[in-house]
Amino acid sequence: MLEELNEFLNTFQKLPREKQLKILDAAAEAFASKGYYGSGIKDICERANISNGALYKYFLNKEELFIAVLDRCQQIMVEYLYEKHTKIESSILNAIEEYLKEIAEICGKFPAYLTVYANLGSPNMEMFSERFSERFKESGKYIYEMVREAKKRGEVIEGIDERALGFLIDNQFILFLYSMLSDYHEKRFRSFMVIEDEVELTSEKKIAFIMDSIRVFLNNKKEESYPVT
Amino acid sequence: MLEELNEFLNTFQKLPREKQLKILDAAAEAFASKGYYGSGIKDICERANISNGALYKYFLNKEELFIAVLDRCQQIMVEYLYEKHTKIESSILNAIEEYLKEIAEICGKFPAYLTVYANLGSPNMEMFSERFSERFKESGKYIYEMVREAKKRGEVIEGIDERALGFLIDNQFILFLYSMLSDYHEKRFRSFMVIEDEVELTSEKKIAFIMDSIRVFLNNKKEESYPVT
Amino acid sequence: MLEELNEFLNTFQKLPREKQLKILDAAAEAFASKGYYGSGIKDICERANISNGALYKYFLNKEELFIAVLDRCQQIMVEYLYEKHTKIESSILNAIEEYLKEIAEICGKFPAYLTVYANLGSPNMEMFSERFSERFKESGKYIYEMVREAKKRGEVIEGIDERALGFLIDNQFILFLYSMLSDYHEKRFRSFMVIEDEVELTSEKKIAFIMDSIRVFLNNKKEESYPVT
Amino acid sequence: MLEELNEFLNTFQKLPREKQLKILDAAAEAFASKGYYGSGIKDICERANISNGALYKYFLNKEELFIAVLDRCQQIMVEYLYEKHTKIESSILNAIEEYLKEIAEICGKFPAYLTVYANLGSPNMEMFSERFSERFKESGKYIYEMVREAKKRGEVIEGIDERALGFLIDNQFILFLYSMLSDYHEKRFRSFMVIEDEVELTSEKKIAFIMDSIRVFLNNKKEESYPVT
DNA sequence: GATGAATGAGTTTTCATTCAT
DNA sequence: GATGAATGAAAACTCATTCAT
């Protein structure tokens, strides 16, 4: 079985990187907009400009293709998000803001992949999310470290557990991410920010709104409040 | 068109409540475990112990059945969550804890419905989430009020925006909810709490963990810390 | 089997004539517009304002209902067409013209029944047309008699076979009938008469056109030609 | 939309002609014997010995398959009937007889297609007959020309309108055609010819019977009468 | 006798996967 | 290795007929 899988992977790996990405991009777009069950192989092949049969030379089946897309998601997350932020150079407040900005940026660059990734949390995706569960710990660990360092530097309010604070901050990250990808969470954001449908809700505004609350328990005076609309 | 819809609804409404619920439950379970596109009518009918044709006497099509399930979700949320918490009698801290406990309880009672509801946030569910977007505002408003009252009573740290704080708290609620329903979010929780796979993660532990961080910016001294495992 | 059939017929016969006709009319309209296979029982019941189950008290099944409609067709034909024309009082030319006018009239009065009847000639209706085959002979016989009488009276050109002439005239009748009911045959008529789509094609014009050719071999001078448009 | 249609047509066009015809033949047979609504895709595929899915690679849906059959009908009519008779070499009487013989021949060769074509006149086929209405005019025009030429040559009785005579002759053609395809019209023919059910009614006899009446107004002496049985 | 909900085999259509070229 | 036609099981949905009330 594993050998068989490798056989497929090899064929795919031998393709020029450009073509590989074209196929994964096509798949990501399909999966993002219609979900795993709603997306058809035919549609993906047309988007990728390859033949139906070719796809089955590269991947054992739809499932493996989806996993390949998830791998690419992971890659993107690591390359654009985690690796960029392994070193906390400035204050935690800045680090958090940078992180949010980065999330906004990769959502702009790779909306389809991020959407697929975000959807892994859906309860009916458990069949796939299991394979990736190990990798989440990374993200958790990074934020925990960040908070611990900050606490040492006295940047954090007294008496708060590092892990609980890390979780709280990560929750902000996650729901910020979701709001960039799903209409539902975007509307929820608007609802809390009291912004009318007609007014544009930029990611900058969202970030300011989030920072406003985080700043509090990071012992900092609010310097500039999120502007009321 | 509306009359046509009514024709179907009437037939369904005339059924004994018990049978209605059996059908909706069956549908909710199917949709929860396999998603909208992955679930088949045949499977749902078998779970509900009705014939294929009967379902189409009750609902115009799969879509309308799904919407009926969403309506039931809404009902449950209102009945068990919102209505129970319209009056904040004690401190906000207690209110929040009660709310979390309530979430845990209805997740235990109606996991399928809650799962379906939570999945509305998936990007490929926009076709349905639009219909329900108005209703989210309610939940947001409730929490905002709660925070505002608490602030008046001096229960909240100085200098924090009510809306931002409300959002932050609601984020905790949402991700707590998700963690009750999705393996992915459960694992993420474990990761932050540093709990091994073998150790059971009860909802009580999760609630304690969340309360630990919330307590801080509600100006309260930490009385009892979340115990490390 | 026959007893069973009678059981159904009796139930139907006991209904007030008005209700009987309402049901048959509804069925005729459905069958006329969508054909036997295309028509649904539900649709017919709604048109007739009776319940689904009631229909099955009156008729064994869809097939028997269709046959009942055909019987009513037959009745109408006999009552309005054949019985009115058993006596040829005037010249055959007048008789033919009267007959055509009568066809036009009953097509106006009972378009649905006539349509169903005309459709019996469709090759995929053989299952039903067999039962009615005996009855066609009547119509043929009537026209044959008419021609024979006319020949005796010297109204018909010399040297023509009565039966062949009868057939030729009946063909005119049949295709005139079809042209009143089917778009296809109406267009064919227009094509021969060289009438544009915008110009109305009344049955009077069609009759005049047909009479124009029939008159010839009935040894009559053309008195009034069909007016060119 | 047009491109989409082409996609299907192309796949079909690429098939070997033999297979194409097998599929169209199968469909024609099904549609001829059970009508459009009565025929099932499954049945057609089995007759054609192709898989269910294959059919949907060739045609968008049942409707387009039916139209393809109609196109083939048209083709057959043009190839075997119209093209053979564009030049009237001999007398009109001969031409008519030839035409009838030709009709008999193609009915023998392609009964299913001719049946489908003939059924277009059914009132519930309007949805399809519209598309083909333009083409009927051809046939009308051809006969009109034939009559006009004959009149010039003095072959036609005096005082008869070319169009009316053309229509009359075409009616004979049409009902002769119908009698080859439908039991109902065959029986009607028998009734006029006074032929018992046991006696075989060959197309030759029918043609002789028709010619017998046509001959009259074509100014010709009856040479040999249709023999009484 | 009347009702209309229930049945389930049947319909058209789709789609992941296979396979001959 | 690539192609795209072929497969057929399964999907959503329909409808003639039955049956409990």
Side-chain angles (χ1 to χ4, degrees):
Chain A
M1 174 67 186
L2 264 182
E3 287 157 28
E4 215 185 327
L5 259 175
N6 278 335
E7 182 198 329
F8 285 88
L9 264 180
N10 279 337
T11 315
F12 185 63
Q13 240 77 338
K14 277 184 208 150
L15 292 177
R17 185 69 183 151
E18 200 186 0
K19 195 172 181 185
Q20 283 178 34
L21 289 181
K22 197 173 176 190
I23 293 166
L24 292 175
D25 286 358
E29 269 158 41
F31 289 135
S33 65
K34 299 191 173 186
Y36 177 72
Y37 292 105
S39 302
I41 293 294
K42 205 191 155 204
D43 175 39
I44 292 170
C45 291
E46 273 162 18
R47 283 175 199 250
N49 218 30
I50 60 169
S51 77
N52 211 320
L55 195 78
Y56 280 84
K57 290 269 184 265
Y58 308 146
F59 303 101
L60 179 61
N61 52 29
K62 195 180 175 182
E63 212 174 309
E64 292 301 323
L65 169 61
F66 189 70
I67 286 166
V69 170
L70 288 179
D71 280 328
R72 173 82 181 119
C73 290
Q74 184 73 15
Q75 245 177 63
I76 288 169
M77 299 289 276
V78 168
E79 185 173 343
Y80 289 79
L81 208 57
Y82 305 146
E83 285 187 356
K84 271 197 172 172
H85 292 270
T86 36
K87 277 272 154 64
I88 306 146
E89 289 122 10
S90 55
S91 77
I92 186 171
L93 250 188
N94 284 342
I96 289 170
E97 195 161 356
E98 284 308 309
Y99 201 84
L100 288 168
K101 280 181 185 163
E102 210 69 61
I103 288 173
E105 204 181 320
I106 58 173
C107 282
K109 266 190 197 151
F110 307 102
Y113 288 105
L114 272 282
T115 300
V116 172
Y117 196 71
N119 256 63
L120 263 189
S122 295
N124 56 310
M125 287 282 106
E126 260 160 46
M127 148 198 203
F128 297 108
S129 61
E130 267 179 49
R131 298 208 189 195
F132 288 80
S133 62
E134 281 308 303
R135 305 176 183 176
F136 312 146
K137 299 191 180 159
E138 294 309 308
S139 130
K141 218 171 270 175
Y142 159 69
I143 287 170
Y144 171 66
E145 286 303 326
M146 186 169 80
V147 172
R148 216 162 54 114
E149 293 292 321
K151 208 173 178 185
K152 276 189 200 160
R153 292 200 302 272
E155 284 175 33
V156 175
I157 220 165
E158 279 300 309
I160 193 164
D161 180 84
E162 291 98 330
R163 287 165 299 169
L165 181 55
F167 182 64
L168 188 143
I169 292 171
D170 198 47
N171 286 355
Q172 306 292 94
F173 290 163
I174 289 208
L175 288 164
F176 174 65
L177 172 67
Y178 286 3
S179 82
M180 305 290 295
L181 305 169
S182 124
D183 213 46
Y184 179 110
H185 284 104
E186 152 95 11
K187 274 178 180 143
R188 189 179 146 267
F189 225 119
R190 277 178 182 277
S191 165
F192 274 102
M193 290 177 73
V194 194
I195 287 186
E196 299 305 313
D197 287 358
E198 307 84 42
V199 181
E200 205 199 352
L201 176 50
T202 61
S203 58
E204 283 79 17
K205 286 186 194 168
K206 288 186 198 168
I207 292 175
F209 185 70
I210 290 172
M211 292 311 295
D212 221 39
S213 63
I214 289 184
R215 203 172 280 123
V216 175
F217 38 76
L218 291 181
N219 244 351
N220 284 288
K221 298 269 168 338
K222 192 159 70 168
E223 278 142 37
E224 203 183 334
S225 175
Y226 148 77
V228 183
T229 15
Chain B
M1 176 62 189
L2 265 183
E3 288 157 29
E4 214 184 329
L5 261 174
N6 277 336
E7 184 197 330
F8 288 85
L9 266 181
N10 278 338
T11 314
F12 185 64
Q13 239 79 342
K14 277 185 215 149
L15 292 178
R17 186 69 183 151
E18 199 187 0
K19 197 173 180 186
Q20 282 179 34
L21 289 180
K22 196 174 176 190
I23 293 166
L24 291 175
D25 287 358
E29 268 157 43
F31 289 136
S33 66
K34 297 193 174 184
Y36 177 72
Y37 292 105
S39 301
I41 292 295
K42 208 187 152 208
D43 174 42
I44 292 170
C45 290
E46 274 160 17
R47 284 175 197 250
N49 215 32
I50 60 169
S51 77
N52 214 315
L55 194 77
Y56 281 89
K57 286 260 183 283
Y58 307 145
F59 303 101
L60 180 60
N61 51 30
K62 194 181 175 184
E63 211 174 309
E64 292 300 323
L65 169 61
F66 189 69
I67 285 168
V69 170
L70 289 179
D71 280 329
R72 174 84 181 116
C73 291
Q74 184 73 16
Q75 244 177 64
I76 289 169
M77 300 286 276
V78 168
E79 185 174 343
Y80 290 78
L81 208 56
Y82 304 147
E83 284 185 359
K84 272 198 173 173
H85 290 272
T86 35
K87 277 270 154 67
I88 307 146
E89 289 120 11
S90 56
S91 76
I92 187 171
L93 251 188
N94 283 342
I96 289 170
E97 194 161 357
E98 284 307 308
Y99 201 84
L100 288 167
K101 279 180 186 164
E102 209 71 62
I103 288 173
E105 204 181 320
I106 58 172
C107 283
K109 268 191 197 152
F110 307 102
Y113 289 104
L114 273 281
T115 299
V116 172
Y117 198 71
N119 256 64
L120 266 189
S122 294
N124 55 312
M125 286 283 106
E126 261 159 46
M127 148 198 204
F128 296 107
S129 61
E130 266 178 50
R131 296 208 192 194
F132 288 79
S133 62
E134 280 308 303
R135 306 177 183 178
F136 312 147
K137 296 191 182 162
E138 292 310 304
S139 128
K141 219 172 270 175
Y142 160 68
I143 289 171
Y144 171 67
E145 285 303 325
M146 186 169 80
V147 171
R148 214 161 56 112
E149 294 291 320
K151 207 173 178 186
K152 275 189 203 160
R153 294 198 302 270
E155 284 176 34
V156 174
I157 218 166
E158 280 301 307
I160 193 164
D161 181 84
E162 290 99 329
R163 289 165 299 171
L165 180 55
F167 182 65
L168 187 141
I169 292 172
D170 198 49
N171 286 354
Q172 306 294 95
F173 289 162
I174 289 208
L175 288 164
F176 173 64
L177 172 67
Y178 286 2
S179 82
M180 304 290 294
L181 305 169
S182 124
D183 213 46
Y184 178 110
H185 285 104
E186 152 95 9
K187 276 180 178 140
R188 189 178 147 266
F189 225 117
R190 277 178 182 279
S191 163
F192 273 101
M193 290 176 74
V194 194
I195 288 186
E196 296 308 311
D197 288 357
E198 306 84 42
V199 181
E200 204 199 353
L201 176 50
T202 62
S203 57
E204 283 79 18
K205 285 186 194 166
K206 287 187 201 167
I207 291 174
F209 185 70
I210 290 172
M211 292 312 294
D212 223 38
S213 62
I214 288 183
R215 200 171 283 122
V216 175
F217 40 78
L218 291 181
N219 241 352
N220 286 289
K221 295 270 166 340
K222 192 160 71 166
E223 279 142 39
E224 202 184 337
S225 173
Y226 149 79
V228 182
T229 15
Chain C
M1 175 64 188
L2 265 182
E3 287 157 28
E4 214 186 329
L5 258 175
N6 278 335
E7 182 198 329
F8 285 88
L9 263 180
N10 279 337
T11 316
F12 185 62
Q13 240 79 340
K14 279 186 208 147
L15 291 178
R17 186 68 183 152
E18 200 186 1
K19 196 172 179 185
Q20 281 178 36
L21 289 181
K22 197 174 176 190
I23 292 167
L24 292 175
D25 287 358
E29 268 157 43
F31 289 136
S33 66
K34 299 191 173 185
Y36 177 72
Y37 291 106
S39 302
I41 293 294
K42 204 191 156 205
D43 175 39
I44 292 170
C45 291
E46 273 162 17
R47 284 176 198 249
N49 217 29
I50 60 169
S51 78
N52 211 321
L55 196 78
Y56 280 85
K57 290 269 183 265
Y58 307 145
F59 303 102
L60 179 61
N61 51 28
K62 194 181 176 182
E63 213 174 309
E64 293 301 322
L65 169 62
F66 190 68
I67 286 168
V69 170
L70 288 178
D71 280 328
R72 174 82 180 118
C73 291
Q74 184 72 16
Q75 245 177 63
I76 288 169
M77 300 288 276
V78 168
E79 185 175 342
Y80 289 79
L81 207 56
Y82 304 148
E83 285 185 358
K84 269 199 176 173
H85 291 271
T86 35
K87 276 271 153 65
I88 306 146
E89 290 121 10
S90 55
S91 76
I92 186 173
L93 251 188
N94 284 342
I96 289 170
E97 195 162 355
E98 283 308 308
Y99 201 85
L100 288 168
K101 279 179 186 164
E102 210 69 61
I103 287 173
E105 205 181 320
I106 57 173
C107 282
K109 267 189 197 151
F110 307 102
Y113 288 104
L114 272 280
T115 299
V116 172
Y117 197 72
N119 255 64
L120 263 190
S122 294
N124 55 310
M125 286 283 106
E126 261 159 44
M127 147 197 203
F128 298 108
S129 61
E130 267 179 49
R131 298 209 191 194
F132 288 80
S133 62
E134 281 309 303
R135 306 177 182 176
F136 313 147
K137 297 192 181 161
E138 294 308 307
S139 130
K141 218 172 271 174
Y142 159 69
I143 288 172
Y144 170 66
E145 285 303 327
M146 185 169 79
V147 171
R148 214 160 57 111
E149 293 290 323
K151 207 174 178 185
K152 276 189 201 161
R153 294 199 302 269
E155 284 176 34
V156 174
I157 219 165
E158 279 300 307
I160 193 165
D161 181 85
E162 290 97 332
R163 289 164 299 170
L165 180 56
F167 182 64
L168 187 142
I169 291 171
D170 199 48
N171 285 355
Q172 305 294 92
F173 291 161
I174 289 210
L175 288 166
F176 173 64
L177 173 66
Y178 286 3
S179 82
M180 304 290 295
L181 305 169
S182 124
D183 214 45
Y184 179 109
H185 285 103
E186 152 97 8
K187 274 179 181 143
R188 188 179 147 267
F189 226 118
R190 278 178 181 278
S191 165
F192 273 102
M193 291 177 71
V194 192
I195 287 186
E196 298 305 313
D197 288 357
E198 307 83 44
V199 181
E200 204 199 351
L201 176 50
T202 61
S203 57
E204 283 80 17
K205 285 186 194 168
K206 286 187 199 167
I207 291 175
F209 184 71
I210 290 172
M211 292 311 295
D212 222 37
S213 64
I214 289 184
R215 201 171 280 123
V216 174
F217 41 78
L218 292 180
N219 241 350
N220 286 289
K221 296 271 169 334
K222 192 160 71 168
E223 280 144 35
E224 203 183 335
S225 172
Y226 150 76
V228 184
T229 17
Chain D
M1 176 62 188
L2 266 182
E3 286 156 29
E4 214 185 326
L5 261 174
N6 278 337
E7 183 198 329
F8 287 88
L9 266 180
N10 278 338
T11 315
F12 185 64
Q13 239 79 340
K14 276 185 212 149
L15 292 178
R17 186 69 183 151
E18 201 186 359
K19 196 173 180 187
Q20 281 178 36
L21 290 181
K22 197 175 175 190
I23 292 165
L24 292 176
D25 287 358
E29 269 157 43
F31 289 136
S33 66
K34 298 193 174 184
Y36 177 72
Y37 293 105
S39 302
I41 292 296
K42 210 187 152 207
D43 175 41
I44 293 171
C45 290
E46 273 161 18
R47 283 175 199 250
N49 217 31
I50 60 169
S51 76
N52 216 317
L55 195 77
Y56 281 87
K57 286 262 183 282
Y58 306 146
F59 303 101
L60 181 60
N61 51 30
K62 195 181 175 183
E63 210 174 310
E64 292 300 323
L65 169 61
F66 190 69
I67 285 168
V69 170
L70 289 179
D71 280 328
R72 174 83 181 116
C73 290
Q74 184 72 16
Q75 242 177 66
I76 288 169
M77 301 287 276
V78 168
E79 185 175 342
Y80 289 80
L81 207 57
Y82 304 147
E83 284 186 358
K84 271 197 173 176
H85 291 271
T86 36
K87 275 274 154 63
I88 307 144
E89 289 121 10
S90 57
S91 77
I92 186 171
L93 252 188
N94 284 341
I96 289 169
E97 196 162 354
E98 285 307 310
Y99 201 84
L100 288 166
K101 280 180 185 163
E102 210 70 63
I103 287 173
E105 205 182 321
I106 58 173
C107 282
K109 268 190 196 151
F110 307 103
Y113 289 104
L114 273 280
T115 299
V116 171
Y117 198 71
N119 256 63
L120 264 189
S122 295
N124 56 312
M125 286 283 105
E126 260 158 47
M127 150 197 202
F128 297 108
S129 61
E130 266 179 49
R131 294 206 193 197
F132 287 80
S133 63
E134 280 309 302
R135 305 177 183 178
F136 312 147
K137 298 191 182 162
E138 293 309 306
S139 128
K141 220 172 268 176
Y142 159 68
I143 288 171
Y144 171 67
E145 287 301 326
M146 186 170 79
V147 172
R148 216 162 55 112
E149 293 291 320
K151 208 174 178 185
K152 276 189 200 160
R153 294 199 302 270
E155 285 176 32
V156 175
I157 222 166
E158 279 300 307
I160 193 163
D161 181 82
E162 291 99 330
R163 288 165 298 170
L165 180 56
F167 182 64
L168 188 144
I169 293 172
D170 199 48
N171 285 355
Q172 306 293 94
F173 290 162
I174 288 208
L175 288 164
F176 174 64
L177 172 67
Y178 285 4
S179 82
M180 306 290 295
L181 306 168
S182 124
D183 214 47
Y184 178 111
H185 285 103
E186 153 94 9
K187 275 178 180 142
R188 190 179 145 266
F189 225 118
R190 277 178 182 278
S191 164
F192 273 101
M193 290 177 72
V194 193
I195 288 184
E196 298 306 312
D197 287 358
E198 307 82 44
V199 181
E200 203 200 353
L201 174 51
T202 62
S203 59
E204 283 79 19
K205 286 185 193 169
K206 286 187 200 168
I207 291 174
F209 184 70
I210 290 172
M211 292 311 295
D212 222 38
S213 62
I214 289 183
R215 202 172 280 121
V216 175
F217 36 76
L218 291 181
N219 247 351
N220 285 288
K221 298 268 166 341
K222 192 160 70 169
E223 280 143 34
E224 204 183 334
S225 174
Y226 148 79
V228 183
T229 13

